[in-house]
Amino acid sequence: MNVRVLRIELRRSVAPWAGAVVLTTALAFLYLVNAAWWRGTTAWTAQWTSMALWTRALLGYLWPLAVGLGALQGLRDHRSKVSELLTTTSRPAWHRAATLAGTTAITLASAFALLVLVGAVQVLPNTEYTHLGWLPISLVGALSLVAGAVLGMGAGRALPSALTPPALAMGAFVFTALLHMSLGTEPNRVSLLSPAVQEVRDVLVTLSASVHVGQTIWLLGMAATGFALLVAATPRARLLALTPVLAGAAIALLVLPSDPRRMYVLDEAAAELVCDGPVCVTKTHQARLTDLAGPGKEALRLLHGALGSQAPVSVRENTAVLPDGSTPQWSRETVLFDFDDDIIAAAKGEELTWALVAKGMVPGCAPVGWSSFGGDEFAQTVAVGWVLGDLRSLPGTGSASLRREVDAKARPVWTELKALPRAEQLSRIDAMRAAALSCKGDAFDALNGGASR
């Protein structure tokens, strides 16, 4: 397809409009909706992998749109009433189909590339960790738009009705919605057939290579079926045209991993530790090490002064990737934290030291992906007050009413604890830490002298 043919095709087709609609819809979602893609370390403008995954997540809406617009493009010859005339020309059917599909593919791929470029321009100044591991995620995303549009074109040519584009768009939306609903608490092999990915919950998580390969096979089969439908002239040929998409789905399901732990995996390069003495962060957040090192070392000094040989000896960003709803896993030797923890995210300067002391004493036992408020927050306040010698409001507690509630619950327990002999204080603190670190008891109840549940 030479440049002259491309220019002519762009002028007489809906391909440019398809690209414009996809791009503007995506940007409208991102900039007009205050959603999770603007928050925390997983914001779409914070890191390269997060940016790629969030733009892929939008395909739950963009892909059905591409399918519908492709079907509209496929109706062009039927609307112009030139279908029969074109079959009498010497130009091969596959050549006409390639021109039609190629123009739409170029515009949709360019639209997605511009969307990624908008994100990349904002990610670049926000991180020191630059890599190319995000590229396969975005390339598969662009391929999904192209494959969906070509499939829509083929369906529009095979079913030349004004109802075909909206029906296909709605069908594609239902398809992606059903695959998303099949996720449950963990991804499964069938859900990976969706062009969209699940929401980004951890900045250190990426898609595995086998997922990229399986999705690529599925999408190439889809595109091949769409192209075959564009060329097919008989009912039998149209029926045979379904073979690539069915074969692609079957092969993809064999290639895609069945174990959820091999679908969304830890990005080992991003999780590599960068340290300043006993304080370590991942390479993804290496720019934040300077601000964390001082408070981290001070927190370790305070913990050693209070706990002696039982105190943790290092501070490290948590790199564990656990499924949603699972119980967190903590260490006695290391203060594990996440930059998205409320208490860490809200802390500055001296408050960051308090927050790290709190994570070392009572790291929190809310199931992964859940949020809670109650005994752990009360125990953290008492524990930090015991270490510092003064009860203080911790960062990230929330509104003034919540801070008053925490103080009302924690102050009597702290007062009682400080009045006890040193040996009894240490006994209760040890019981609290045992419950808090194992997540098998009630840390606040242990401070009260009660038996851990």
Side-chain angles (χ1 to χ4, degrees):
M1 181 168 53
N2 59 41
V3 177
R4 184 178 64 85
V5 173
L6 177 61
R7 284 203 304 266
I8 294 172
E9 193 64 33
L10 286 172
R11 284 200 302 268
R12 63 196 290 264
S13 72
V14 299
W17 293 105
V21 168
V22 166
L23 178 60
T24 54
T25 301
L27 292 175
F29 263 108
L30 288 170
Y31 284 96
L32 299 181
V33 179
N34 183 20
W37 50 70
W38 285 112
R39 303 188 191 118
T41 60
T42 58
W44 85 290
T45 58
Q47 298 290 339
W48 294 102
T49 301
S50 298
M51 180 270 293
L53 288 171
W54 276 122
T55 50
R56 277 286 298 275
L58 292 178
L59 292 178
Y61 305 99
L62 301 180
W63 187 73
L65 195 59
V67 173
L69 289 168
L72 186 63
Q73 176 82 316
L75 290 177
R76 187 185 67 183
D77 292 345
H78 176 75
R79 291 196 313 269
S80 303
K81 297 181 172 39
V82 295
S83 299
E84 293 183 4
L85 176 63
L86 290 173
T87 60
T88 64
T89 65
S90 59
R91 190 182 182 192
W94 69 265
H95 196 280
R96 295 195 303 272
T99 302
L100 183 67
T103 306
T104 304
I106 290 171
T107 55
L108 286 176
S110 299
F112 194 77
L114 285 173
L115 174 65
V116 171
L117 181 61
V118 170
V121 168
Q122 297 174 85
V123 169
L124 200 57
N126 288 336
T127 181
E128 292 183 2
Y129 177 54
T130 302
H131 61 103
L132 297 178
W134 58 274
L135 266 179
I137 302 173
S138 294
L139 290 174
V140 173
L143 176 61
S144 70
L145 287 177
V146 172
V150 174
L151 180 66
M153 279 185 262
R157 178 70 61 84
L159 302 169
S161 167
L163 296 177
T164 298
L168 278 178
M170 184 56 67
F173 180 77
V174 171
F175 173 74
T176 55
L178 289 175
L179 291 180
H180 181 75
M181 290 168 61
S182 73
L183 281 171
T185 57
E186 292 183 341
N188 57 69
R189 191 153 38 184
V190 174
S191 71
L192 293 176
L193 294 179
S194 172
V197 298
Q198 66 183 35
E199 289 188 0
V200 187
R201 295 189 175 93
D202 193 320
V203 71
L204 300 177
V205 168
T206 188
L207 289 169
S208 66
S210 56
V211 171
H212 296 317
V213 173
Q215 290 180 336
T216 299
I217 292 171
W218 155 240
L219 293 170
L220 288 175
M222 185 188 300
T225 286
F227 190 80
L229 287 172
L230 274 174
V231 176
T234 65
R236 184 172 181 274
R238 294 187 184 107
L239 190 61
L240 289 174
L242 299 177
T243 303
V245 72
L246 296 176
I251 297 172
L253 289 173
L254 293 175
V255 173
L256 292 169
S258 57
D259 185 352
R261 292 171 297 183
R262 293 175 52 228
M263 297 176 187
Y264 289 85
V265 297
L266 178 69
D267 186 337
E268 294 183 0
E272 184 180 335
L273 294 178
V274 179
C275 300
D276 182 343
V279 181
C280 300
V281 298
T282 61
K283 186 175 286 188
T284 301
H285 294 131
Q286 59 188 337
R288 306 178 73 164
L289 180 59
T290 302
D291 293 333
L292 184 75
K297 293 172 183 176
E298 177 64 11
L300 290 175
R301 185 190 68 78
L302 291 170
L303 287 168
H304 185 269
L307 300 173
S309 61
Q310 300 298 314
V313 295
S314 62
V315 174
R316 176 168 60 83
E317 184 179 355
N318 196 356
T319 59
V321 177
L322 301 174
D324 279 2
S326 61
T327 302
Q329 299 173 3
W330 304 115
S331 166
R332 280 186 173 273
E333 291 76 28
T334 303
V335 178
L336 296 174
F337 72 95
D338 191 305
F339 282 109
D340 280 333
D341 291 336
D342 289 342
I343 193 172
I344 300 293
K348 302 288 183 184
E350 188 181 25
E351 286 186 341
L352 186 53
T353 300
W354 306 347
L356 291 171
V357 169
K359 295 295 290 184
M361 298 292 279
V362 185
C365 288
V368 175
W370 297 15
S371 60
S372 65
F373 180 82
D376 283 345
E377 285 70 27
F378 305 151
Q380 279 182 339
T381 302
V382 174
V384 173
W386 179 78
V387 171
L388 299 178
D390 184 24
L391 197 68
R392 306 183 187 191
S393 179
L394 297 179
T397 305
S399 64
S401 61
L402 287 179
R403 288 196 294 272
R404 286 194 296 270
E405 180 182 351
V406 171
D407 187 76
K409 292 282 189 179
R411 188 166 294 278
V413 177
W414 177 76
T415 303
E416 178 187 347
L417 181 67
K418 293 295 288 183
L420 294 173
R422 179 68 178 176
E424 179 62 21
Q425 290 183 33
L426 288 173
S427 176
R428 292 195 181 187
I429 290 295
D430 287 344
M432 175 207 71
R433 292 193 75 216
L437 293 170
S438 66
C439 291
K440 293 181 179 178
D442 189 318
F444 191 57
D445 185 58
L447 286 172
N448 270 310
S452 294
R453 295 193 295 271

